[in-house]
């Protein structure tokens, strides 16, 4: 289940703004942006279509709950949601608020920057509070099951 | 429902490799790659968290069905799945097979190319056949509802 050398396998729940037995919501810096949210499946699985259907649905329910919380907190122009994992093939979803004056808009955040963008911070504490209000408490969640 | 000037609002079901009343699966060229699949919600909605929960789940079920079909057809090293929409804010999911020798790996397909990559084509006909076998026929689908 844990793969030696995988940076996401070695995450600790203490680093998460929300977690349960199946997943963690963390924040991490993205080049040119502030801290953005990532939803990480705890088991080392590479592809969504490998997960059991109920797990896949649960993961996406949490991803979209994070999307809604970030929209409410940050009021972005657009949300970007992506699961790439080419460098770290352990399922994790980027949930990224985008603004016309960020470093990359309208390109992806992995594209060449177009400008010195405005950096905005949602704040780990605000995100943790918003998720605590929208998701069951840490522990084994029954959301959507 | 249809927004003048929106390229995805003006898509026709005849252009799709699979469609029903709520969504279409299309293929389109991506710079440096071959034709890749996109799953387009037919109504002009910008964000996943704006969709009704049942619609959101249905859209993702189709996205992951396309992911599974592409994995079986193409045998990629990794799948990338993303909803960005900064240029066209009408919900569409990119479902992209990635290979160590494609133009961008391990970066995103929106990053600067690292090499002249190998271009692979799944083929519209093969994808259409694979989806016809996995999804209900065109028309109003009841998948997952």
């Amino acid at each position: 289940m844990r793969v030696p050398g995988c940076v996401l396998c070695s995450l600790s729940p203490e680093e998460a703004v929300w977690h349960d037995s199946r997943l963690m919501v963390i924040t991490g810096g993205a080049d040119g942006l502030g801290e953005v949210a990532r939803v990480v499946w705890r088991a080392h699985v590479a592809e969504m279509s490998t997960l059991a259907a109920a797990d896949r649905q649960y993961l996406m329910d949490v991803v979209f709950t994070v999307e809604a919380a970030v929209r409410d907190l940050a009021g972005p122009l657009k949300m970007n949601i992506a699961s790439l994992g080419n460098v770290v093939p352990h399922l994790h979803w980027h949930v990224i608020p985008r603004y016309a004056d960020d470093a990359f808009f309208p390109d992806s955040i992995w594209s060449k920057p177009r400008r010195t963008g405005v950096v905005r911070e949602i704040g780990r504490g605000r995100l943790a509070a918003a998720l605590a209000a929208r998701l069951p408490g840490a522990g084994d969640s029954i959301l959507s099951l």
Side-chain angles (χ1 to χ4, degrees), chain A:
Chain A
M1 189 80 77
R2 284 185 65 156
V3 171
C6 174
V7 64
L8 294 180
C9 281
S10 52
L11 274 181
S12 154
E14 286 74 41
E15 302 175 59
V17 293
W18 189 87
H19 76 277
D20 69 6
S21 63
R22 284 184 279 181
L23 52 77
M24 299 189 209
V25 182
I26 62 172
T27 62
D31 287 344
L33 303 173
E35 295 266 304
V36 296
R38 295 182 189 128
V39 184
V40 180
W41 193 249
R42 292 181 71 161
H44 188 88
V45 175
E47 304 289 8
M48 289 300 292
S49 49
T50 300
L51 283 185
D55 284 340
R56 198 161 54 224
Q57 184 182 335
Y58 177 64
L59 173 50
M60 297 317 298
D61 282 349
V62 173
V63 167
F64 297 129
T65 300
V66 173
E67 179 191 288
V70 170
R71 286 178 70 190
D72 285 353
L73 288 172
L77 180 57
K78 185 71 186 69
M79 291 299 299
N80 290 179
I81 299 181
S83 169
L84 306 181
N86 304 318
V87 177
V88 181
H90 175 139
L91 278 174
H92 60 286
W93 284 87
H94 301 268
V95 183
I96 309 157
R98 301 298 310 276
Y99 306 88
D101 58 4
D102 73 33
F104 307 95
F105 200 89
D107 300 322
S108 88
I109 70 158
W110 301 281
S111 303
K112 187 179 164 198
R114 287 181 178 243
R115 65 189 72 83
T116 302
V118 175
V119 173
R120 293 173 179 82
E121 298 286 353
I122 296 174
R124 281 177 60 89
R126 290 175 72 209
L127 182 59
L131 294 180
R134 291 164 189 256
L135 293 169
D140 282 12
S141 162
I142 55 163
L143 178 70
S144 86
L145 295 183

